[in-house]
Amino acid sequence: MKVKEIGKYFVLAVISMAVLYVWYPAVGVTDLGNWNHGLRNVLAGVIFVFAAQLVTGRSLLHSSWRPGLVIFYLWLAAFSYIQAKSGGNWGIRVETLNNDVLTLMPVLVLTFLFEYIGSLCHKARGILGIFNFLLIGYLSLSVFVYMTYYRIFGAGFTSTDMISVLLTNSKEAMEFLQSHLGFGTLALILVAFILYMAFIGYLIIKGSAAGKNGKVPSPVMVRKVVMAVLIIAALVTIAHWIPRIFPAWPYHVAHKYLVGAKAAMAKHDENLKNFKFVGGTPERLPGAVIVVIGESANRNHMKAFNPAYPVETTPWLSKEKDNENFYLLKNTYSCYPLTEKALSMALTNLNQYNEGDRNEMITMTDVANHIGYDTYFISNQAPAPGNMSLALVSGASKKSMTTTHPGGDDMKVMDYLKELPKDGSPFIVIHLEGSHDRYRDRVPPHFEGVRVEGQPEKVNDYDSSIKYTDEVLKNIYQYAKDNMNLQAMVYFGDHGEDMVRFHGDGNFTWDMIRSPAFAYLSKDYAANHPVVAGGLRKNADAVFTNDLVFDMVCGILGAENNAYNAEYDVTSAKYGLTWDKAVSKYGDVRIKEDPAQSNDD
């Protein structure tokens, strides 16, 4: 093989991947210099495409490459564009497309090699052609469905949307399509897909056809071995990654979530039959009550909680902490350094001290429903299989909403908050993405983050996410105060974060559970409920674990019930958690052993 041909193959391989780096920034994909999910993938693509050309002697311009090239570029162009637009003004990082690239890249190489083998072996041509047609057809149908969904909703299809699909019957689905598209548009899309697949079939037939003289030279043994290695590598890679892209992955998450939620709901309905208030049903507050769940927030990195911190990360809360209507719980700890395990207690009557059973869950939303509040759930996190407390809170709410791009800009929750009625008595739970790693993904490019000279970039990124959460909380508070007669607002983090070990079951550090919590009580509320306001002020410096948020919210609602205990209610004069009693990790960690504390009582 001539050096000139080898050079041509290499240049074409580079161009095939470089096309993505022209398209990506044009549609809003950022962080292209990232090695793990950007440059490394491009390099792998160049190597695979170059090797396939080299071993077969067919350049990327040959017709046998075309079926794979069509789906490769169609998929990545459509998904990158739609996901970037769904991500808001600041688009998405290239990491978001990692699974798509790692699936479509081997599809490109595999379909080409099968086309090539088909041109060598007439007997195998049919079966290999059918395989290519079905594989490309499955991926193409997925793209068409994804694009159609975007045409209707202006956002990408998520696991939350898949939950709705799985809960919809065929009649409802047809009515939905007729309402949003009309049969005319639907027919055009169907015809377009049929014509597209006919085109793909034509490309496959042409690409696997023999040469002009009816024969294709059989490759030597070394090339056959290399080709076999490439095919095996492509098949293994596709088998690993294709379940992790649309539609398989949203289906997996949604199905697992629904199975768990169904079981929890069945038991939960039984629990509610035994629920009752102590002393009669309390009156609704004359305005909004909001509970905001933070994510991976370490109060040691929050200036409002840690005045010695070298940079201002909470400008709004630092200003408001001196407001008599704000109550910072300065010694808050998470009950567990994992979201699901922490929220399974924080949102429910279960805690580390009452030995409650998971099958006996009562949520704060259940309590609000029984009082008569209009209950809402707004989330910027995709549903997570196994997080039954969130499933119960979401399922029990009058209306449950997830942002169009879960995990993106937390400020998007404001769009949904502004859709809610401004009058009445709404009870609203808002779940933020907060400071979930990667920290810089939590902050839009236009936001002025934190940059401390000499501080690791990761810490700066984390502090920037803390500062942005402070801005989001400010917006939630101000809007609700100005428009919804905000009576009370509670914020708490699910767990903390360690800058080296992050959070989790293993390698425990105290930073993983040093989480924040604060409450706002309006002047009117404090005047009408002086015992609650006084109790909260008195206990603001006491130790508090976030598994007691349920009791705290019940106290604010004035809702004593058979799932509530005043000893665990930080707003109550009977609050009884002491440093000796306080624990985390379900009793494995004793809070008084935190080296940052010197409490012996």
Side-chain angles (χ1 to χ4, degrees):
M1 185 175 291
K2 297 180 180 179
V3 174
K4 185 177 180 180
E5 286 182 318
I6 296 174
K8 176 184 176 182
Y9 295 157
F10 181 75
V11 170
L12 288 173
V14 171
I15 292 173
S16 69
M17 296 298 125
V19 168
L20 298 178
Y21 266 58
V22 174
W23 172 259
Y24 282 169
V27 299
V29 179
T30 62
D31 200 28
L32 300 179
N34 180 285
W35 169 251
N36 289 333
H37 305 101
L39 297 177
R40 185 178 64 181
N41 288 347
V42 168
L43 179 61
V46 169
I47 292 172
F48 271 94
V49 172
F50 174 65
Q53 292 178 97
L54 199 62
V55 77
T56 60
R58 287 186 177 178
S59 80
L60 204 61
L61 302 177
H62 193 278
S63 60
S64 52
W65 280 98
R66 291 170 191 165
L69 284 170
V70 169
I71 187 58
F72 180 79
Y73 288 122
L74 175 64
W75 181 287
L76 294 178
F79 276 76
S80 60
Y81 175 83
I82 292 172
Q83 291 186 32
K85 295 307 176 187
S86 301
N89 296 329
W90 41 303
I92 57 169
R93 298 191 187 276
V94 71
E95 177 183 356
T96 307
L97 300 165
N98 185 61
N99 295 0
D100 302 275
V101 173
L102 294 178
T103 302
L104 273 295
M105 188 172 63
V107 166
L108 170 62
V109 173
L110 181 68
T111 52
F112 161 68
L113 291 175
F114 279 0
E115 291 285 280
Y116 174 72
I117 294 171
S119 66
L120 288 177
C121 179
H122 178 74
K123 292 181 179 179
R125 188 178 304 168
I127 190 68
L128 294 178
I130 291 173
F131 178 90
N132 279 354
F133 185 81
L134 293 176
L135 176 59
I136 294 174
Y138 167 76
L139 294 169
S140 299
L141 179 61
S142 301
V143 174
F144 270 73
V145 169
Y146 200 79
M147 292 190 298
T148 301
Y149 188 87
Y150 178 71
R151 167 71 175 77
I152 297 173
F153 292 103
F157 194 107
T158 67
S159 54
T160 307
D161 304 311
M162 185 62 79
I163 290 174
S164 299
V165 171
L166 295 180
L167 293 174
T168 302
N169 57 46
S170 57
K171 182 176 181 293
E172 290 173 336
M174 288 305 298
E175 290 173 350
F176 172 84
L177 291 173
Q178 182 182 6
S179 172
H180 288 81
L181 288 176
F183 285 124
T185 303
L186 192 60
L188 285 175
I189 294 173
L190 184 59
V191 169
F193 180 72
I194 292 172
L195 291 175
Y196 164 84
M197 287 307 301
F199 175 65
I200 291 294
Y202 166 76
L203 292 181
I204 289 173
I205 292 171
K206 187 175 181 180
S208 62
K212 292 181 180 179
N213 58 4
K215 293 182 179 180
V216 178
S218 179
V220 297
M221 183 56 66
V222 173
R223 292 194 177 190
K224 287 181 179 179
V225 171
V226 174
M227 198 182 308
V229 170
L230 287 174
I231 289 173
I232 292 171
L235 286 170
V236 170
T237 305
I238 292 169
H240 177 77
W241 289 107
I242 204 167
R244 290 166 171 78
I245 63 172
F246 180 83
W249 185 250
Y251 174 83
H252 166 76
V253 173
H255 177 71
K256 192 171 181 180
Y257 180 82
L258 286 174
V259 169
K262 185 177 180 180
M265 289 292 185
K267 182 62 180 176
H268 182 242
D269 290 341
E270 291 296 318
N271 296 339
L272 288 178
K273 293 178 182 178
N274 300 319
F275 177 82
K276 60 183 178 181
F277 290 110
V278 176
T281 303
E283 292 184 5
R284 291 176 297 171
L285 296 172
V289 176
I290 298 178
V291 177
V292 183
I293 308 168
E295 171 69 50
S296 303
N298 181 339
R299 57 179 161 80
N300 279 6
H301 286 251
M302 303 172 73
K303 186 80 169 178
F305 288 91
N306 180 17
Y309 201 65
V311 61
E312 180 57 86
T313 56
T314 55
W316 169 72
L317 189 59
S318 293
K319 178 182 177 182
E320 296 291 358
K321 74 175 183 177
D322 295 325
N323 183 332
E324 64 178 359
N325 301 116
F326 278 77
Y327 307 77
L328 271 64
L329 303 183
K330 298 168 185 153
N331 292 305
T332 296
Y333 291 83
S334 173
C335 62
Y336 210 95
L338 283 174
T339 299
E340 190 278 327
K341 291 186 176 182
L343 296 187
S344 69
M345 292 192 168
L347 299 175
T348 74
N349 58 315
L350 309 184
N351 61 54
Q352 301 170 102
Y353 316 104
N354 64 9
E355 299 181 352
D357 189 280
R358 283 177 66 94
N359 291 325
E360 299 173 353
M361 282 186 180
I362 297 293
T363 72
M364 60 178 67
T365 300
D366 295 327
V367 177
N369 279 331
H370 276 71
I371 297 173
Y373 286 90
D374 292 326
T375 53
Y376 303 93
F377 179 71
I378 302 172
S379 179
N380 191 34
Q381 290 200 23
N387 202 329
M388 289 305 99
S389 58
L390 279 175
L392 294 175
V393 168
S394 173
S397 299
K398 175 181 177 181
K399 187 174 183 180
S400 179
M401 299 160 281
T402 302
T403 59
T404 55
H405 185 66
D409 189 353
D410 270 335
M411 199 66 76
K412 275 185 166 290
V413 301
M414 291 301 302
D415 296 337
Y416 299 85
L417 184 63
K418 291 175 181 179
E419 290 179 3
L420 303 185
K422 294 182 180 180
D423 54 1
S425 300
F427 179 86
I428 307 162
V429 177
I430 300 175
H431 193 192
L432 301 179
E433 187 72 8
S435 298
H436 197 288
D437 192 42
R438 283 187 325 177
Y439 313 130
R440 56 178 166 164
D441 291 345
R442 311 281 78 85
V443 182
H446 60 77
F447 184 73
E448 184 179 349
V450 173
R451 285 292 173 269
V452 177
E453 194 70 31
Q455 188 164 259
E457 182 180 2
K458 182 168 67 172
V459 177
N460 282 331
D461 288 341
Y462 180 78
D463 287 348
S464 295
S465 71
I466 292 289
K467 186 178 179 183
Y468 190 61
T469 296
D470 182 76
E471 182 70 15
V472 173
L473 290 170
K474 172 187 173 182
N475 276 262
I476 294 172
Y477 161 77
Q478 198 63 54
Y479 177 81
K481 185 171 181 286
D482 293 343
N483 298 279
M484 306 178 81
N485 192 24
L486 180 64
Q487 293 292 298
M489 175 172 159
V490 173
Y491 167 79
F492 71 95
D494 58 353
H495 51 73
E497 188 82 340
D498 183 280
M499 293 296 95
V500 176
R501 297 176 179 176
F502 306 102
H503 62 270
D505 271 319
N507 297 316
F508 170 80
T509 68
W510 287 98
D511 273 340
M512 293 181 184
I513 61 170
R514 290 173 181 147
S515 55
F518 72 81
Y520 160 81
L521 303 177
S522 72
K523 288 183 179 179
D524 288 345
Y525 179 96
N528 294 325
H529 303 84
V531 174
V532 173
L536 192 53
R537 182 65 67 198
K538 174 188 174 184
N539 297 321
D541 292 331
V543 64
F544 177 75
T545 51
N546 67 0
D547 50 334
L548 306 184
V549 170
F550 169 87
D551 296 275
M552 174 188 184
V553 171
C554 286
I556 291 172
L557 296 179
E560 292 190 22
N561 57 77
N562 60 344
Y564 160 89
N565 189 331
E567 185 181 351
Y568 305 135
D569 176 10
V570 74
T571 74
S572 171
K574 298 178 181 179
Y575 183 64
L577 186 64
T578 64
W579 290 95
D580 277 337
K581 295 178 182 178
V583 294
S584 183
K585 290 197 75 175
Y586 295 2
D588 290 344
V589 174
R590 300 186 64 79
I591 298 299
K592 72 173 185 178
E593 295 175 2
D594 180 358
Q597 302 294 341
S598 57
N599 296 274
D600 299 318
D601 53 9

